[in-house]
Amino acid sequence: MSLPTTIEADACCVPRITSSLTAEDAERVARVFKALGDPTRVRLLSLIAAGAGGEACICDLTEPVGLSQGTVSHHMKLLADAGLVTREQRGKWAYFALNDGALDAAADALRPA
């Protein structure tokens, strides 16, 4: 009976990682995914994308999700802070539009180079 040969330490464990996110980039990407971790926020993004001209007024977002204006505003602030939407004030109403590149940028951060 023979015992298996030990593999030389320098023969294995070849570094496979060529690059990774910086700590700052990881924080930014995590903020995007955290914002997307709530079903209400995903629905809000869907409503905005389906809106005329790819935008929606905060007043048009409350009824479809069944939440108060204050709660929807909170969700929209988190989406804006994550860079997923842009906000434009028109009189007393806030209008939101998708930030086109934000989702792609978050996904690209995790794709192999």
Side-chain angles (χ1 to χ4, degrees):
M1 175 171 151
S2 66
L3 296 173
T5 307
T6 303
I7 298 173
E8 305 250 348
D10 60 349
C12 74
C13 302
V14 176
R16 297 181 193 270
I17 299 173
T18 57
S19 67
S20 66
L21 292 173
T22 65
E24 183 178 297
D25 288 341
E27 286 287 333
R28 180 183 45 79
V29 173
R31 213 172 17 258
V32 171
F33 287 118
K34 185 175 181 180
L36 291 171
D38 183 279
T40 298
R41 290 192 284 271
V42 173
R43 286 191 64 211
L44 289 167
L45 289 175
S46 176
L47 289 165
I48 293 167
E55 68 177 13
C57 176
I58 191 80
C59 63
D60 296 324
L61 297 173
T62 56
E63 192 252 315
V65 294
L67 298 171
S68 70
Q69 189 270 332
T71 301
V72 172
S73 289
H74 170 73
H75 284 297
M76 294 310 301
K77 180 180 180 343
L78 294 175
L79 291 170
D81 289 348
L84 291 166
V85 297
T86 59
R87 181 183 187 276
E88 181 183 340
Q89 193 70 33
R90 297 181 196 164
K92 70 176 190 170
W93 296 108
Y95 284 77
F96 294 90
L98 296 183
N99 183 353
D100 293 332
L103 288 174
D104 289 335
D108 287 345
L110 300 178
R111 288 190 180 114

